[in-house]
Amino acid sequence: MPRILSIDYGQKRTGIAVTDEFQIIASGLTTIPSATAIDFLKDYFSKEKVEAVLIGEPKQMNGQPSESASIIKGFVTHFTNHFPDMKVIRVDERFTSKMAFQTMIDSGLNKKQRQNKGLIDEISATIILQDYLSRKGI
């Protein structure tokens, strides 16, 4: 069964998470510089079968797009130009960074470890993916 991949795209860094082959468990894969995202994904897609990609959609509390929405929209356009056959699912990413930070605290990471913004992005991508799997009924 193909995997589902989740992307928490940011201006500087991009967190990536992926399911196992049975689409049951979401796991953080890595955090990469955003400028290298397409090349990273080309390489990953050549090695692993992926059926869909979730891309976070930043929204404000009132449901309107946030300031970073235009940056992510540009990435989505760039992504679909490179991978026209890949199914893209946009998902609300409100609160994922806060949830990721809380997860780090709950996991017992010390203050210095919690300052690792790359880890926050990777955990955020994992939360986006796990939430999607839960809503999908898996």
Side-chain angles (χ1 to χ4, degrees):
M1 180 180 248
R3 299 173 188 268
I4 300 173
L5 188 128
S6 174
I7 298 174
D8 182 28
Y9 187 82
Q11 200 163 6
K12 296 179 183 177
R13 291 172 311 280
T14 295
I16 299 177
V18 67
T19 63
D20 61 308
E21 295 130 357
F22 302 107
Q23 298 182 3
I24 296 171
I25 299 169
S27 300
L29 183 62
T30 190
T31 300
I32 57 171
S34 293
T36 67
I38 296 298
D39 289 335
F40 175 87
L41 294 168
K42 282 180 184 177
D43 182 58
Y44 188 82
F45 294 160
S46 72
K47 296 174 184 173
E48 297 288 343
K49 189 167 181 167
V50 176
E51 82 173 26
V53 173
L54 308 177
I55 300 176
E57 188 169 19
K59 295 182 180 183
Q60 297 176 19
M61 290 296 294
N62 64 4
Q64 295 298 313
S66 74
E67 291 178 19
S68 59
S70 62
I71 294 166
I72 296 170
K73 186 176 181 182
F75 171 74
V76 172
T77 300
H78 194 57
F79 179 90
T80 55
N81 288 339
H82 282 277
F83 309 106
D85 298 327
M86 183 63 68
K87 181 179 178 181
V88 174
I89 302 167
R90 299 298 308 274
V91 293
D92 187 346
E93 65 173 38
R94 279 182 280 191
F95 308 114
T96 55
S97 293
K98 289 179 182 167
M99 291 168 62
F101 189 75
Q102 187 60 49
T103 299
M104 293 169 82
I105 291 170
D106 294 345
S107 299
L109 297 180
N110 65 37
K111 187 174 182 177
K112 184 171 178 140
Q113 292 169 315
R114 292 192 308 259
Q115 292 173 343
N116 179 347
K117 293 183 181 182
L119 184 56
I120 292 172
D121 294 332
E122 184 178 327
I123 294 171
S124 293
T126 307
I127 290 169
I128 290 168
L129 185 52
Q130 191 62 56
D131 183 58
Y132 174 80
L133 293 174
S134 297
R135 286 186 285 114
K136 189 178 167 188
I138 294 179

